[in-house]
Amino acid sequence: MIKAIKGMEDILPQDIAIWRWLEDTARRDLESYGYAEIRTPILEETSVFVRSIGETTDIVTKEMYTFKDRGDRSLTLRPEGTAPIVRAYIENSLGKISPELKVYYIGPMFRSERPQKGRSRQFHQIGVEVFGSASVYADAEVIMQMNNMLKLFGLKGYTIKLNTLGCKKDKDNFALALTNYLKDKASLLCNDCKTRLEKNVLRVLDCKNENCIKIVANAPSILENLCPPCREGFDKLKGTLKEMGIGFEETKNLVRGLDYYTGTVFEVTHPDLGGQDAIGAGGRYDNLVKEMGGASVPAVGYALGMERVIIALKKDMSLCANVIYVATLGDGPKIQGVQIAEKIRRDRDLAGTIVITDVKESSLKSQMRAADRLNAKLVVIIGDDELKKGEVILRDMRSKEQLNLSIEEVIPKLREKARC
Ligand code: HAM
């Protein structure tokens, strides 16, 4: 049997509803903040990633799908979205069209990592990039939007971890301080960290090895190495997030696995994901546009891993009612059911809802089974009795609660119940 490539999964029809719903919800939310969609090619010249993500990072050294094309050019399947967008930003002079630019993207990324729950070789990200503001208010808005969108998805129990790496100078000073601290402890570090100590010392801070965790517990903190403007900026960001009611955990060892970050970095974790607990991450990259050949343009952004968001949502059982099933028994109820289904599909507040009606004259039992298979949260049930009384039954498939509603009450009730 020919099989899909390991770590690259089909998204099957029975699962597509949640993907589409997630994408539609994200688009609507992002566009309400003034983000415009950008779509870049899935393949880029390899240098786009090596220069930005960093030559010594895990992504570049171990995880990229890189190959030569027929013209002997080295190409890479994009492992992330930020570097291609910066490439497109420079190439298309997007900064001239608008000095402040907010873009979002939704699409597949590729990393050759060892597949496990929440970690695949083709995965999907919803990401944003904001160009042209060095202010912490841009960081605050990016984090606020991400937080609001996660709430719209119905996600609960996540933690936003926040740190700063300071400016390039602070980051370099800190790398030096950390190297000095770790130098005489090198023999106690795991093999990966021994290499990191030489090539990318900050990464030792987020190693998952127990010994390494113990060793870095007393390491100098980046916060001790911040210059006054960076310290003030970080305090202002934390104050602003608090004012906006956004909960976060200051996490001094959060450093991120991509070299382009300076300043604010953040990560969102969810306890239901086990080892791969980051459902999203981001931060500021004020030097990247310049380093890739553009003007000096500050920028900040984040990306969510869609597979991981879906795992967390399924665990929470707070999936939104994106599927409503209309179950009917008999000819009269069937026609009424089709009319109600049409009303639901055309209702603006229920936009994006999938409404399924039975087209096989099946028994009520098999229609309920179909509703279950489709993961419908709500089922509208109409039989001859209901038709006579001008009523429907609305069944909530999760709570098993049933309500008798008049025809006029159906849409308002669905609007209320279909919400996350
Ligand atoms: P990242 O931390 O490499 O950041 O990835 C962001 C998210 O993508 C992760 O938190 C995770 O949810 C998901 N992800 C990463 N690798 C995998 C994988 N192998 N399988 C499943 N999900 C995965 C970036 O990619 C940056 N470009 C984010 C950013 C945007 N920073 C600024 N702007």
Side-chain angles (χ1 to χ4, degrees):
M1 197 201 333
I2 303 176
K3 290 192 171 171
I5 294 165
K6 192 173 166 203
M8 304 202 179
E9 278 169 22
D10 300 309
I11 301 172
L12 298 169
Q14 59 264 37
D15 293 323
I16 215 75
I18 178 72
W19 283 84
R20 286 282 301 272
W21 178 83
L22 214 58
E23 288 165 12
D24 291 349
T25 307
R27 279 179 210 286
R28 262 202 308 279
D29 192 53
L30 287 161
E31 286 167 15
S32 78
Y33 282 82
Y35 285 96
E37 187 177 2
I38 183 164
R39 299 186 191 187
T40 61
I42 283 168
L43 267 183
E44 294 276 350
E45 277 184 23
T46 302
S47 60
V48 168
F49 303 110
V50 177
R51 286 174 64 181
S52 55
I53 298 171
E55 256 169 289
T56 58
T57 56
D58 285 354
I59 297 180
V60 169
T61 54
K62 300 189 226 165
E63 296 168 5
M64 294 207 305
Y65 283 98
T66 297
F67 58 91
K68 290 268 173 79
D69 74 353
R70 289 170 204 276
D72 213 30
R73 281 174 294 246
S74 178
L75 305 181
T76 293
L77 281 170
R78 62 179 186 195
E80 60 105 51
T82 308
I85 287 172
V86 170
R87 196 264 313 130
Y89 177 88
I90 299 166
E91 186 175 342
N92 298 290
S93 307
L94 296 183
K96 287 200 184 115
I97 299 168
S98 160
E100 274 127 48
L101 182 75
K102 293 161 95 171
V103 291
Y104 76 90
Y105 51 97
I106 301 179
M109 309 290 159
F110 303 84
R111 294 184 197 176
S112 177
E113 295 186 83
R114 193 167 49 77
Q116 63 181 77
K117 183 183 144 206
R119 188 164 72 191
S120 34
R121 293 182 169 173
Q122 173 172 330
F123 59 98
H124 298 76
Q125 285 185 343
I126 297 173
V128 311
E129 314 296 349
V130 177
F131 294 95
S133 169
S135 163
V136 291
Y137 288 122
D139 307 29
E141 195 196 66
V142 161
I143 295 171
M144 178 178 78
Q145 184 280 326
M146 179 188 74
N147 185 51
N148 285 346
M149 193 164 75
L150 291 173
K151 289 225 172 81
L152 276 181
F153 292 160
L155 203 70
K156 296 179 193 117
Y158 58 86
T159 304
I160 299 176
K161 296 184 171 166
L162 185 72
N163 194 18
T164 181
L165 302 176
C167 54
K168 175 97 177 60
K169 219 167 159 197
D170 293 348
K171 200 175 155 185
D172 290 346
N173 285 343
F174 177 55
L176 203 64
L178 193 60
T179 308
N180 286 337
Y181 168 81
L182 291 171
K183 242 187 333 210
D184 56 349
K185 301 170 186 67
S187 60
L188 306 170
L189 294 170
C190 73
N191 283 341
D192 276 349
C193 281
K194 282 187 185 121
T195 318
R196 287 175 188 140
L197 180 57
E198 299 296 319
K199 297 191 165 166
N200 203 344
V201 67
L202 295 195
R203 294 290 292 156
V204 177
L205 289 179
D206 65 359
C207 179
K208 304 279 186 284
N209 180 294
E210 269 181 38
N211 265 341
C212 300
I213 292 175
K214 274 188 207 143
I215 293 168
V216 300
N218 298 318
S221 156
I222 180 81
L223 299 177
E224 295 154 14
N225 288 274
L226 291 181
C227 63
C230 286
R231 175 178 296 280
E232 277 158 33
F234 191 49
D235 287 342
K236 190 166 165 186
L237 173 63
K238 288 187 291 182
T240 308
L241 291 175
K242 277 186 195 145
E243 290 285 327
M244 296 194 305
I246 298 169
F248 62 88
E249 257 177 31
E250 196 177 328
T251 309
K252 73 167 189 154
N253 285 350
L254 178 68
V255 287
R256 311 275 300 113
L258 304 100
D259 279 356
Y260 50 63
Y261 293 111
T262 51
T264 308
V265 284
F266 55 94
E267 200 167 85
V268 192
T269 58
H270 195 285
D272 290 341
L273 275 141
Q276 306 303 314
D277 65 350
I279 55 172
R284 192 161 263 292
Y285 49 96
D286 287 348
N287 302 315
L288 186 58
V289 179
K290 189 149 189 230
E291 278 166 15
M292 287 181 74
S296 178
V297 180
V300 56
Y302 73 83
L304 298 177
M306 294 180 72
E307 282 79 0
R308 294 187 190 177
V309 170
I310 290 172
I311 293 173
L313 279 175
K314 284 191 171 158
K315 266 275 194 352
D316 270 358
M317 288 304 284
S318 57
L319 287 181
C320 286
N322 58 331
V323 180
I324 296 176
Y325 195 95
V326 181
T328 49
L329 209 59
D331 293 335
K334 205 139 233 116
I335 290 169
Q336 173 125 73
V338 169
Q339 286 165 345
I340 291 178
E342 278 303 292
K343 256 197 197 157
I344 304 172
R345 291 185 188 113
R346 276 192 235 105
D347 191 82
R348 262 190 60 185
D349 291 334
L350 291 165
T353 305
I354 299 165
V355 191
I356 306 290
T357 59
D358 171 57
V359 286
K360 279 200 330 204
E361 304 183 39
S362 326
S363 70
L364 196 56
K365 206 167 161 194
S366 69
Q367 290 184 59
M368 294 310 282
R369 270 203 302 267
D372 233 5
R373 261 198 317 276
L374 290 162
N375 216 358
K377 184 179 171 195
L378 298 166
V379 181
V380 176
I381 304 167
I382 315 169
D384 280 329
D385 275 359
E386 285 72 36
L387 187 69
K388 263 188 231 136
K389 287 193 261 176
E391 285 186 354
V392 309
I393 296 170
L394 181 64
R395 182 175 170 84
D396 185 319
M397 297 292 274
R398 304 260 151 78
S399 67
K400 314 283 181 225
E401 179 197 23
Q402 294 206 157
L403 293 172
N404 282 69
L405 302 172
S406 68
I407 300 292
E408 296 72 50
E409 287 169 327
V410 178
I411 295 284
K413 199 59 170 182
L414 288 176
R415 284 185 198 138
E416 188 187 303
K417 287 238 166 210
R419 240 178 262 141
C420 290

